[in-house]
Amino acid sequence: MFDVLVYLYENYWRPDACPDHEQLTRKLSSAGFESDEIQEALSWLDGLATVAECYTGEQQQSSIRVYTAAEQDLLGEESISFISFLESAGVLPPPLREMVVDRASAIGVAPIPLDDIKIIVLMVFWSLGKEPDTLVLDELFVAPEDRLIH
């Protein structure tokens, strides 16, 4: 599923630039993705659109997040630390953080690998038509061992 999401991010600059589900399914199928993987990704994106409607209207821009034991098990320490890092850097406000946690919960894998959380964060920004700043993109795409230290 994550390969489909990355493909969509790379090929469609915003969700409204994507064709309807039927045409998109055909395009993804012709790009080599399996039918079940496509349906899973499209269903996940539908959920993201629904969650985006709920959280984008929220005005609360500061809050403290206490993760439940189930969320801690689901996300894992590494992913929670990464989400907290993005929050403390001021690039992931509470409403977007909640979208990330919601969409991570929809995956059904525990703990979610950090690389998958990074894709979820990217897709949350994408779903809102926002492009993360360069430093966030670097954090999402460049492996720590590949970074140049100046």
Side-chain angles (χ1 to χ4, degrees), residues 10-90:
E10 290 174 345
N11 289 281
Y12 299 98
W13 58 286
R14 290 191 344 219
D16 59 358
C18 290
D20 62 61
H21 278 359
E22 187 177 316
Q23 186 179 6
L24 185 56
T25 298
R26 284 193 306 271
K27 286 185 177 213
L28 291 169
S29 183
S30 69
F33 294 106
E34 297 293 325
S35 147
D36 58 335
E37 188 178 25
I38 294 168
Q39 293 312 313
E40 185 180 1
L42 293 179
S43 176
W44 188 89
L45 284 172
D46 287 342
L48 179 58
T50 300
V51 171
E53 289 176 15
C54 296
Y55 286 110
T56 54
E58 275 188 28
Q59 297 302 312
Q60 180 72 0
Q61 291 298 312
S62 64
S63 67
I64 295 175
R65 180 65 150 92
V66 178
Y67 293 92
T68 66
E71 289 171 333
Q72 290 175 19
D73 291 342
L74 171 78
L75 295 169
E77 187 178 324
E78 191 175 31
S79 293
I80 290 173
S81 295
F82 181 71
I83 292 168
S84 297
F85 162 73
L86 293 177
E87 274 188 277
S88 67

Side-chain angles (χ1 to χ4, degrees), residues 1-3 5-6 9 44 48 75 78-86 91-92 96 99-101 103-104 107 111-127 130 132 135-147:
M1 177 186 88
F2 286 101
D3 291 336
L5 296 176
V6 170
Y9 180 82
W44 188 89
L48 179 58
L75 295 169
E78 191 175 31
S79 293
I80 290 173
S81 295
F82 181 71
I83 292 168
S84 297
F85 162 73
L86 293 177
V91 296
L92 190 69
L96 272 63
M99 290 175 64
V100 169
V101 172
R103 292 292 75 209
I107 300 299
I112 295 176
L114 180 59
D115 287 342
D116 292 350
I117 284 293
K118 289 179 177 185
I119 293 170
I120 292 170
V121 169
L122 187 66
M123 295 310 291
V124 164
F125 279 102
W126 180 80
S127 73
K130 298 180 178 183
L135 294 176
V136 174
L137 286 174
D138 183 54
E139 197 61 45
L140 293 173
F141 285 120
V142 179
E145 63 272 7
D146 294 336
R147 288 198 177 98

